[in-house]
């Protein structure tokens, strides 16, 4: 009798759980799994628009939103597990790699009418030359930030200042192989959009020269280092430099005269997506001017949507760091995919450099 | 070995979450990118020998400092009234409730130039950089792992029978002899589990060195973190070598412990 009773209780708990769970998801007409960079969407904090919630309300589709920290992490998850994502937002070179390896599916642009509003250079970008697999989400360039009280009356305007002996001990460098190598390659006269092992070796020599002058290799720590007057000069993403400058008036952001890396993150649909229709709706929604503008003001990178620019704050829209002028963009390059061997060779050299 | 039915779920768990992952790591460290048998991953992994040595060194120093700090504290705690003991345990535990990264951030803020400690020291006429060196990394590790040393030491010492100490006292032993003959030998299990719980995680930790160290202070955990995304084979090989190094260390430690226990 006792056994029967406990079995009954267990069943009752199971049933009630099932009822609760089904009633939670039951209100929606479906769901999509979105995989994006961490902190890369307007999420409702600090009076910004909660874009995901708005999408869920308008389309009645539930969004399961998860994040990653690097393109390589995204690639590994996508290529080696059975996880099913409907929308992913990799960077330029990773889009190219995913297309090459057949991990993306072609988009039906008739279901993404807002894509007509993309800036012309993002309609058939170099990483997706026929414009079949991706819709740009956000773009920006790399730049330099320096603290005008700490650079000994110099006016840094070139990547060379990251090798300046007078600033020894207060220079920062990217803690990210592609970005660090790109700067070193530019100074070695190599255009870093594509590179070989030989180019990596040349840049490694350049980076080795820099190491004794450096304070640290940083990523997110750069905010603390620069905003709290801990370091004199650092390379970083120009849109983030814009944010740093709002928090410390001693900081100056510049676009280096050699040109820099124009990076684009673009929305794609993996081959094994389970809700392709929902994915198209999501991409179309994120490309709508007001939504793209909301995301752009939150992450302070430029929006690829033409009519979104007008909706942005004047300061943001007119900042050269967020929207670099066209003649500067001519000097910029976009990363292309390099083969696995060269890539892991670069990573190996970079880690060795740091050890 | 006789297995009782309640142990089945745990065995199941061990196989899925311990055994299979280790086999996978073994497999990928002995193969190359294309899945062929190869020692390439190991030859690449040994290229980081200096980082290995540095990590083990930092872990060793941190463990030693933790032991020196925690031993007297554990002893003092174990001699208090029950209520005081509980409060002290609580005080030691509270920092561990906070997120690991936040605690490291806090140290960055404390140690940075023109941070509170730097300002205090410069008022005393000492001008130095506190952050971005190996000392800061060790400080961060000691702070991070000290509770893992204090708690086992305290638990073991609290269990020492007071009667033994009183008897020794009655029979004319002085405090030094009491410590040498009773307290120290009986606290050895605590020392061993404390060392294990501090050394093992600090040898393989990552991020601490990235936040508190300088350009040279990368640790083996950071190397695995970076290499793994681009080269799983080498990443696995490094992880395997680290596992073996830790295993050897633990075997030596246990041998040492048993001998001590036999000696008393």
């Amino acid at each position: 009798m006792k056994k029967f009773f406990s079995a009954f209780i267990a069943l009752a708990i199971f049933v009630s759980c099932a009822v609760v769970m089904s009633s939670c998801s039951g209100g929606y007409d479906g769901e999509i799994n979105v995989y994006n960079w961490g902190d890369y969407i307007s999420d409702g904090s600090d009076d910004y628009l909660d874009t995901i919630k708005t999408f869920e309300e308008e389309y009645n589709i539930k969004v399961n939103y998860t994040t990653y920290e690097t393109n390589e992490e995204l690639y590994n998850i996508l290529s080696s597990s059975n996880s099913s994502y409907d929308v992913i937002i990799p960077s330029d070179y990773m889009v190219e790699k995913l297309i090459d390896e057949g991990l993306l599916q072609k988009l039906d642009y008739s279901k993404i009418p807002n894509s007509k509003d993309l800036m012309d250079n993002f309609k058939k970008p170099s990483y997706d030359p026929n414009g079949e697999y991706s819709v740009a989400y956000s773009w920006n360039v790399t730049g330099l930030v320096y603290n005008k009280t700490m650079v000994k009356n110099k006016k840094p305007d070139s990547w060379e200042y990251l090798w300046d002996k007078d600033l020894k001990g207060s220079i920062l460098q990217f803690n990210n192989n592609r970005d660090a190598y790109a700067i070193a390659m530019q100074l070695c006269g190599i255009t870093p959009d594509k590179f070989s092992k030989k180019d990596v070796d040349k840049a490694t020599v350049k980076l080795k020269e820099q190491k004794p002058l450096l304070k640290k290799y940083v990523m997110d720590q750069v905010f603390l280092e620069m905003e709290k007057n801990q370091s004199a000069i650092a390379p970083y993403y120009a849109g983030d430099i814009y944010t740093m400058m709002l928090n410390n008036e001693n900081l100056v952001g510049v676009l280096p005269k050699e040109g820099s890396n124009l990076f684009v993150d673009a929305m794609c649909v993996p081959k094994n997506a389970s809700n392709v229709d929902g994915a198209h709706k999501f991409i179309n929604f994120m490309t709508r001017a007001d939504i793209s503008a909301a995301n752009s003001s939150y992450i302070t990178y430029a929006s690829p949507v033409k009519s979104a620019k007008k909706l942005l704050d004047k300061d943001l829209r007119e900042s050269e760091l967020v929207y670099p002028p066209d003649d500067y963009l001519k000097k910029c390059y976009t990363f292309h995919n390099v083969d696995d061997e060269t890539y892991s060779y670069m990573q190996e050299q970079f880690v060795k450099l740091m050890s | 070995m006789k297995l009782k039915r309640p142990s089945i779920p745990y065995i199941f768990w061990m196989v899925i979450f311990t055994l299979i992952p280790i086999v996978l790591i073994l497999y990928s460290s002995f193969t190359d990118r294309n899945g062929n048998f190869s020692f390439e991953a190991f030859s690449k992994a040994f290229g980081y020998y200096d980082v290995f040595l540095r990590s083990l060194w930092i872990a060793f120093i941190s463990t030693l400092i933790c032991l020196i700090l925690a031993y007297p504290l554990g002893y003092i705690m174990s001699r208090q009234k029950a209520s005081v003991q509980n409060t002290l345990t609580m005080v030691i535990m509270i920092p561990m409730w906070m997120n690991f990264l936040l605690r490291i951030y806090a140290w960055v803020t404390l140690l940075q130039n023109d941070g509170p400690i730097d300002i205090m020291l410069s008022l005393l006429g000492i001008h130095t950089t506190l952050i971005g060196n190996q000392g800061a990394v060790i400080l961060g590790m000691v702070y991070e792992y000290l509770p893992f040393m204090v708690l086992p030491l305290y638990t073991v010492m609290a269990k020492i029978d007071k009667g033994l100490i009183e008897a020794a006292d009655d029979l004319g032993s002085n405090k030094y002899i009491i410590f040498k003959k009773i307290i120290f030998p009986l606290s050895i299990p605590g020392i061993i589990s404390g060392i294990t719980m501090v050394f093992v995680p600090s040898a393989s930790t990552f991020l601490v060195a990235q936040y508190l160290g300088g350009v040279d202070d990368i640790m083996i955990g950071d190397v695995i973190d970076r290499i793994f995304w681009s080269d799983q084979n080498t990443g696995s090989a490094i992880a395997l070598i680290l596992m073996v190094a830790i295993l050897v260390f633990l075997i030596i430690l246990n041998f040492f412990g048993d001998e001590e226990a036999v000696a008393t």
Side-chain angles (χ1 to χ4, degrees), chain A residues 40 119 121-122 136-141 262-265 300-305 322-324 329:
Chain A
Y40 207 49
M119 292 174 173
N121 47 333
F122 295 116
Y137 174 79
S138 165
W139 65 278
N140 201 220
V141 297
L262 192 170
F263 56 90
V264 190
D265 295 304
T300 65
Y301 290 174
S303 161
V305 180
V322 181
Y323 280 95
L329 292 179

Side-chain angles (χ1 to χ4, degrees), chain A residues 104-159:
Chain A
L104 299 182
Q105 56 177 281
K106 288 190 180 175
L107 300 179
D108 180 353
Y109 287 84
S110 66
K111 288 185 187 161
I112 313 170
N114 290 337
S115 64
K116 292 197 190 83
D117 197 14
L118 284 176
M119 292 174 173
D120 293 334
N121 47 333
F122 295 116
K123 281 186 175 152
K124 285 183 179 174
S126 59
Y127 50 86
D128 178 12
N130 300 323
E132 294 173 306
Y133 293 92
S134 66
V135 175
Y137 174 79
S138 165
W139 65 278
N140 201 220
V141 297
T142 47
L144 266 179
V145 56
Y146 66 90
N147 188 316
K148 63 186 173 202
T149 65
M150 294 173 79
V151 287
K152 311 200 167 133
N153 298 319
K154 299 189 177 195
K155 285 211 170 5
D157 60 348
S158 147
W159 295 125

Side-chain angles (χ1 to χ4, degrees), chain A residues 207-220:
Chain A
L207 289 171
K208 273 188 184 146
E209 280 169 31
Q210 186 193 31
K211 192 180 167 189
L213 306 172
L214 286 183
K215 182 177 181 197
K216 241 173 150 50
Y217 294 99
V218 292
M219 289 308 288
D220 290 346

Side-chain angles (χ1 to χ4, degrees), chain B residues 13 42 56 86 97-98 118 150 163 177 192 228 234 238 257-258:
Chain B
W13 177 273
F42 280 96
L56 293 174
N86 289 337
W97 299 350
M98 226 180 315
D118 189 40
V150 176
I177 303 276
I192 289 176
F228 202 77
T234 309
I238 299 174
D258 286 340

